Amino acid sequence: MPAYPDDRSAEITAALGALPSGTPVSEVARRLMDLFTTGDLEAGTRLPPERQLAATLGVGRSAVREALAALEILGIVDVRPGSGTYLRGTASELLPQTLRWGLLIGRKNTAELLELRSGLEIYVARLAAGRAAASDLRALSGSLERMQRGTGDLKAFARADLEFHNALASAAGNDTLVDLLHVVRSLLQVYADRAVHDEAEARAAIDEHGAVFRAIEAGDEDAAASAMATHMATASQRLAAEASP
């Protein structure tokens, strides 16, 4: 296990300060991000426990927990059950302006986010078909197998689904594109986690992912983009239904 910097909880809490009553989760996350961008915290620094952050910020633990979950999805922190939450990198490595922008987008833009995600995922699939290495194919295959095993456990299925898309982005070999996808997915994650309602929908999604995988395995960029477009059409419909009032 790597060595982590000495505990800096007191320094971190002193720098945060209290937020106004009723502050939304997005503002809690932004306050944490402000600290990461303006401070001198090293990669691997362990953050104070949730209860300490909540007391310092003057918000509920649930708001801190949701903010940290969003930051984890964005790749900013690493939440380790039983150990703590750690900063993944330095400010220059972790926090491009794109990520700050992403947390401020509201629900009113869900339709636009779905369009953006669809376009990005289709482009990722095309790139991955031309660049995927053997290790990438193994990662995609493993995620697909976990999706197949998770049809009776939709939470496990959702995790495997996300793993597949993350492996796909990694295979595309474009870090900037991966960062942007993290932002868009994080804003849609609250809907994505519950978008598949039953085993029939899960199996349909597996078939769609399988078509993407086969095209990438064959190195067929057009087929990969086409298969992802088909998947995004149905996935976007499910997400839009979850996001509608």
Side-chain angles (χ1 to χ4, degrees):
M1 177 173 293
Y4 292 99
D6 293 338
D7 182 72
R8 301 176 67 178
S9 294
E11 178 184 344
I12 292 171
T13 53
L16 284 173
L19 290 168
S21 177
T23 296
V25 171
S26 60
E27 185 61 28
V28 175
R30 191 155 69 100
R31 174 62 66 86
L32 292 171
M33 292 174 71
D34 285 342
L35 173 65
F36 301 155
T37 54
T38 60
D40 61 347
L41 299 180
E42 301 172 16
T45 296
R46 183 166 59 183
L47 304 184
E50 285 180 6
R51 63 179 180 279
Q52 188 174 346
L53 289 173
T56 300
L57 293 167
V59 299
R61 286 186 64 177
S62 62
V64 171
R65 188 177 302 114
E66 290 180 35
L68 290 175
L71 295 177
E72 183 178 31
I73 291 170
L74 290 171
I76 295 169
V77 299
D78 182 15
V79 178
R80 299 186 175 191
S83 176
T85 301
Y86 300 86
L87 191 63
R88 284 189 173 175
T90 63
S92 61
E93 294 169 332
L94 291 175
L95 304 170
Q97 187 64 27
T98 301
L99 300 186
R100 290 178 55 83
W101 163 82
L103 282 176
L104 300 178
I105 296 178
R107 289 187 180 183
K108 63 182 180 181
N109 289 323
T110 298
E112 293 177 8
L113 286 170
L114 289 171
E115 288 181 355
L116 178 58
R117 185 200 173 193
S118 178
L120 290 173
E121 294 280 12
I122 292 169
Y123 185 47
V124 160
R126 177 177 291 280
L127 289 179
R131 300 176 178 178
S135 58
D136 296 315
L137 294 176
R138 287 193 295 271
L140 289 166
S141 178
S143 297
L144 193 57
E145 289 174 3
R146 284 187 287 277
M147 288 177 67
Q148 292 167 340
R149 294 197 300 268
T151 53
D153 180 350
L154 295 183
K155 287 185 178 180
F157 176 87
R159 287 195 298 270
D161 188 333
L162 180 59
E163 287 174 4
F164 183 93
H165 285 275
N166 285 341
L168 200 62
S170 178
N174 185 316
D175 290 340
T176 302
L177 187 57
V178 170
D179 285 343
L180 186 54
L181 264 172
H182 272 308
V183 172
V184 176
R185 287 183 191 144
S186 70
L187 295 168
L188 294 170
Q189 197 64 41
V190 66
Y191 310 124
D193 284 345
R194 58 175 188 259
V196 174
H197 297 94
D198 53 41
E199 186 172 337
E201 288 187 352
R203 293 196 178 283
I206 289 170
D207 289 342
E208 293 166 4
H209 285 78
V212 173
F213 174 73
R214 289 189 295 275
I216 291 172
E217 188 176 37
D220 190 330
E221 297 178 8
D222 289 340
S226 178
M228 181 59 78
T230 297
H231 172 53
M232 282 292 103
T234 57
S236 294
Q237 287 176 354
R238 290 194 296 266
L239 287 170
E242 286 296 329
S244 62

